[in-house]
Amino acid sequence: MYHLLFLIIFLFVFSSCRQLSHQTDQVLSAAENNKEQLEQVLQHYDRQESEQLKNAVEYLIVNMYGQYAYDTLSLHIYRPILKELREQSIPATDLDIKWKHLKGRYPPHHHIYNHYYFDATKITAGFLIHDIDLAYETWKNNPYRDSISYENFCEYVLPYRKQRGLAIEDWRSIFSQKHKDYLASKYPSPMIPVLDSLLFYYRDYKHTSSLMPDYPYITIHDVLLSGRSLCEQRCWFNTMLFSALGIPATIDYVPAWGNRNNNHTWNTVQFGDTFYAMEPFWDHDRWKYRRLYNNINEDPWWGKFRLPKVFRYTYELNDEGPFFDREVKRDDIPLFFRNPNQKDVSNEYFTTHDVVIHIPEPSAPYYYLCVFNNGGWVPVQWGKRSREKVTFKNMGCGIVYLPAQFENGTVIPVGLPFILTYTGEKKYLPPKEPEETIAIRQTGPKSALDEANSKTMIGGKIQGANSPDFSDAVDLANVDQLIEISAEFPVWNTGKFRYIRFVFSCEETPNNRDPLNSMMLYGNIGEIVLYSNNKPIVAENVLCSESISVENAQKAFDGEPYTSVNPIVSETIDANLQVWIGVDLGKPVKPDKIELFSKNNDIYIYRGWTYHLYYWANDEWQLIASKKVRGNELVFNKVPQEALLLLKCMDKDLRERIFTYQDHKQVWW
């Protein structure tokens, strides 16, 4: 679809807000029957005295070429479920079933994403004039205007759309009316706390990772109606909010993390020559990402953030790369690089180095550097070949890269993977002799947040009783240390008990503190296994305190360590709070031992599951061995030294990351 959008695309580099009459004519020609509407806009502003405004309008129209919107005619099919999502009027499981049925009957791909139109062919003069006037007025009247350049106004305040595909709607009026005189009432307070206060107003708008994450959010009204979205939608929501008040805001994103799976999108606001990166959803330290995205620091709870590249969505067209090379076939361009409305801003975030790769007998005009992400190699930067060399510009450090060719939608390796060091050196990773023996416990890295979840078990105790109210409870074991995977607790008490429970500590300690929002946590546990005569006891009748639902408590006795009890959250410590999970065994039983599993977070190995260990050689993953877990670690022999390794679980999709083995431990990349 993207090549169709830009079939006649012009190959010019646009500098902000300058007269480009030839390119304007091209947009007018592409507008077809809507040409008159755009001409009305140009004629309207041609009569204005402000040269700034005249240039801004032409800048807007010139870069309209190729902008498109999905059709909203079918959104009425889906919108009724948004109210139920916002009000949580039905259980989450029922909502999930209802949404699956709805999108199965009316697939969004068919009813929404297959129907689009170009902005130039549909946008009206009335809408555009109203939107331009409002944008210019809010910028001119912004009390913080001295810190906002005309160039930043054109690029990040003026555009009527913040991302391709979004519906054309009057979001500027919605936010400017709702927050009229907001900035004037705060001036001259520093801008960052002012914006933080504004975003606090929308603190109840939540991330929807587990509730209808694939809803077709293409209008601001649907986000306002549901009060939920993913990071990507919340980012364009924030840019609309800020732009409506005359504040230049951008959408920045890492297409694929360099040391973890998935990607991420966030916002920045621009003042003068300085930009401030921020988490899209409100929290108590939303501006911390200015510190995280520098490829040096390590967050105390989330761990390392390593970014190979950072790109910024732009309204302005950027004509660099393989997409604008007419000799390159569409299928030979990774999907990410078919978007001309983005620019590389990596240098604004962290120290970068250009990487030069020698390609013997090259056969393609463009090559790519890839990072490992979600089980495969993902292109994150292109380089144009010059004889037998390819230069990849502005690459992030401390990351493993694989040079590759992209052909017919497939990544084809063309060299060894390497670590790009902070001095700009390439440390290649060829497997070496002699082979070694390694012991490993994880498929991916553990963050301090993972550890914090496990810490909530510390201070807990296991009790047995024969009264259903546990009035005769006897302590059978105490948890006084961190449980990483699982731990067995022998029961020395010789009595028999019908009721067994695990009681969480409700004392205020760092172990019960959520590192992300300073709330108190109780109840994180993966599995409880009871043994009698060295055999597991089947626990069917699950009990729990009033603070935990039975449905939630059953996750601790379902035989599946990867399902975890959802924690109980409280703003303050409550000494009288009872948080416990237990079972009614039906008759008194003498337990021999009790095994506790921590919340797993999809990284630890587990007994009974099969894992394959691979190393990278000859442009593919080579199997070293396959093993079933017997204890809390896996031991592999004959592993090539200094090789790039990958441990894959064959029974479940986990957080799997590449690693090297150094000094008897896994080093994650």
Side-chain angles (χ1 to χ4, degrees), residues 176-275:
S176 61
Q177 292 172 9
K178 193 170 188 177
H179 302 288
K180 186 178 181 181
D181 301 326
Y182 178 82
L183 294 181
S185 69
K186 301 294 184 180
Y187 186 80
S189 299
M191 177 55 73
I192 296 305
V194 169
L195 295 183
D196 206 27
S197 176
L198 177 62
L199 290 163
F200 182 76
Y201 184 87
Y202 296 95
R203 64 191 180 280
D204 293 332
Y205 284 62
K206 303 297 185 183
H207 193 279
T208 186
S209 59
S210 59
L211 290 173
M212 298 165 49
D214 53 348
Y215 182 88
Y217 287 108
I218 59 173
T219 75
I220 197 69
H221 290 280
D222 283 356
V223 176
L224 290 168
L225 179 60
S226 70
R228 290 179 178 270
S229 69
L230 295 175
C231 291
E232 182 180 4
Q233 292 91 37
R234 182 57 190 266
C235 281
W236 54 256
F237 177 97
N238 290 342
T239 57
M240 291 177 183
L241 171 63
F242 289 144
S243 295
L245 302 185
I247 302 295
T250 76
I251 303 172
D252 291 5
Y253 44 94
V254 52
W257 290 111
N259 67 331
R260 60 183 64 211
N261 294 333
N262 299 320
N263 49 28
H264 188 45
T265 309
W266 62 92
N267 289 120
T268 69
V269 291
Q270 310 272 327
F271 295 105
D273 296 329
T274 306
F275 77 98

Side-chain angles (χ1 to χ4, degrees), residues 443 559-563 600 602-612 626-631 633-634 636 647-654 656:
T443 61
E560 174 54 85
Y562 278 88
T563 60
N600 183 270
D602 292 350
I603 56 173
Y604 289 116
I605 62 173
Y606 266 122
R607 289 193 297 274
W609 288 8
T610 300
Y611 294 79
H612 289 181
S626 174
K627 288 197 172 186
K628 181 173 288 189
V629 182
R630 305 297 181 189
E633 68 178 15
L634 285 167
F636 289 93
L647 183 68
K648 290 185 65 66
C649 179
M650 309 312 295
D651 297 287
K652 186 177 178 65
D653 292 331
L654 304 180
E656 296 165 346

Side-chain angles (χ1 to χ4, degrees), residues 41 154 291 307 437 545 594:
V41 175
C154 286
R291 304 189 300 274
L307 301 85
T437 297
S545 57
I594 298 173

Side-chain angles (χ1 to χ4, degrees), residues 45 125-135 170 172-173 177:
Y45 288 102
F127 169 84
L128 208 50
I129 291 171
H130 168 74
D131 194 76
I132 292 170
D133 285 348
L134 197 52
D170 190 13
R172 209 180 297 271
S173 291
Q177 292 172 9

